[in-house]
Amino acid sequence: MKSIKNWDNKTWLSSKDYINSFNKFLIKHSNLNSSSKILDIGCGRGKILGNLSTKLKLKNRPIGIDIESHKDKDKKIFFKKIDGINFFKANNKRFDLILIKQTIHLLKMSEIKKLIKFCKNNLLPEGQIFIFTLDPVKNEIPTFKKMHQKLQYSLNKDKKIINFIIKNNKCISKKFIYKVKVKKQKYLKMVKDKYISTLLDFNLKDIEKGCEEIRLKFKNEINFRDKLRCVVIKK
Ligand SMILES: C[S@@+](CC[C@H](N)C(=O)[O-])C[C@H]1O[C@@H](n2cnc3c(N)ncnc32)[C@H](O)[C@@H]1O
């Protein structure tokens, strides 16, 4: 699969407001403090981890890993360019929190099983794994027709992943909802930049046709709820 380069590249997903409310949610539902050891698998530019480090005054630099290395990564994190499974093969650290946000659907089912096993084996005694996926039910991500079909396919995979995790682990389930207001022009740029994995395989013609549909379908300001499902696995 082609890699995601523009997910958190100056989008609402990298805005201060989004990251603050996401981390508020994370802190409220976890047992994090300044001594916590944190790993983020698929951290992107690491802005969530960097903000978490400031908020919690973390004594240990949080670790962020990703298969893509961006020039504008957050300086407060320790970054490693590696995938989750290979990271754990060489890792001897244990963590209080392992975060996997909007990344797990990019892995094959066999890799997901392996990764979760590794994560559980690398937790400290009170440690937790927080896995976030797009909410597969009543998702409101603005789409055009072809994008909608592809997104539905991906959301069905998310459903299967969530069911697999819930069936095989001691866990609790939560929802994180963020109200997005984005200018149509900005969203069109995000679509052209293929911000979401759903768009990665689309060619120029698909994107141009999709942008035309979005121009007609939405007002100048697009309002929707970015809804995530969160599954928390305990050791
Ligand atoms: C949709 S983005 C989410 C980024 C970040 N977690 C966030 O929510 O802002 C998915 C990220 O996962 C990374 N990724 C894909 N496969 C991965 C793997 N096997 N191991 C680690 N990271 C991976 C991608 O490069 C991308 O940065």
Side-chain angles (χ1 to χ4, degrees):
M1 183 193 251
K2 293 172 192 128
S3 61
I4 304 173
K5 297 188 196 295
N6 290 313
W7 170 261
D8 53 352
N9 186 11
K10 302 182 186 89
T11 65
W12 75 81
L13 299 148
S14 59
S15 69
K16 265 196 186 137
D17 190 58
Y18 177 85
I19 292 177
N20 273 331
S21 64
F22 180 80
N23 280 339
K24 218 169 132 188
F25 173 93
L26 207 54
I27 292 168
K28 184 176 169 196
H29 296 289
S30 63
N31 40 20
L32 294 172
N33 57 53
S34 62
S35 306
S36 297
K37 297 188 170 117
I38 303 175
L39 168 69
D40 183 356
I41 300 175
C43 67
R45 287 170 172 77
K47 302 292 175 193
I48 290 174
L49 267 192
N51 175 279
L52 203 55
S53 173
T54 307
K55 268 200 168 54
L56 294 166
K57 298 190 175 62
L58 289 179
K59 291 176 200 149
N60 307 290
R61 236 164 130 193
I63 301 176
I65 64 166
D66 203 293
I67 51 171
E68 188 69 43
S69 176
H70 300 281
K71 280 196 190 115
D72 52 346
K73 290 185 288 288
D74 198 284
K75 303 274 186 299
K76 290 185 274 308
I77 74 167
F78 178 76
F79 177 82
K80 208 164 175 184
K81 185 176 188 281
I82 194 166
D83 68 90
I85 292 172
N86 279 310
F87 168 80
F88 281 121
K89 281 185 182 163
N91 167 60
N92 55 10
K93 295 184 181 72
R94 300 280 180 272
F95 300 96
D96 296 291
L97 170 76
I98 300 178
L99 173 64
I100 310 177
K101 178 175 174 287
Q102 292 181 269
T103 296
I104 204 151
H105 63 291
L106 300 170
L107 277 65
K108 294 190 195 111
M109 231 25 224
S110 57
E111 294 172 329
I112 293 173
K113 288 177 190 170
K114 255 192 216 163
L115 185 66
I116 292 176
K117 203 168 170 193
F118 269 129
C119 288
K120 284 172 87 173
N121 289 339
N122 285 271
L123 281 180
L124 283 159
E126 297 299 317
Q128 294 172 310
I129 307 162
F130 274 67
I131 301 173
F132 290 85
T133 68
L134 278 180
D135 191 337
V137 185
K138 291 188 189 155
N139 197 282
E140 295 177 14
I141 293 283
T143 56
F144 51 89
K145 198 168 166 219
K146 193 166 176 176
M147 180 181 176
H148 175 78
Q149 287 162 352
K150 197 83 197 282
L151 184 64
Q152 282 312 308
Y153 181 81
S154 176
L155 293 175
N156 281 336
K157 183 171 179 191
D158 283 338
K159 255 188 225 165
K160 280 189 198 139
I161 297 169
I162 294 168
N163 289 341
F164 166 79
I165 295 172
I166 292 177
K167 196 170 158 218
N168 293 288
N169 298 281
K170 200 164 72 178
C171 50
I172 43 175
S173 190
K174 301 190 177 298
K175 276 187 186 185
F176 170 71
I177 297 174
Y178 181 78
K179 282 190 185 160
V180 181
K181 269 188 195 175
V182 60
K183 291 267 180 269
K184 185 159 66 178
Q185 281 312 318
K186 171 73 192 173
Y187 194 66
L188 286 169
K189 176 154 187 345
M190 287 176 71
V191 170
K192 283 180 192 153
D193 285 345
K194 301 187 178 179
Y195 81 100
I196 190 167
S197 58
T198 314
L199 298 170
L200 285 181
D201 291 331
F202 287 7
N203 60 32
L204 193 61
K205 211 172 146 202
D206 295 328
I207 296 287
E208 277 173 358
K209 192 164 177 279
C211 284
E212 198 42 46
E213 279 181 44
I214 286 177
R215 269 187 208 104
L216 295 171
K217 189 172 163 188
F218 295 97
K219 294 189 180 138
N220 279 340
E221 186 174 81
I222 305 178
N223 296 310
F224 69 97
R225 289 175 301 170
D226 186 357
K227 299 195 285 179
L228 302 184
R229 267 294 286 277
C230 166
V231 183
V232 185
I233 307 179
K234 298 190 181 206
K235 206 172 157 79

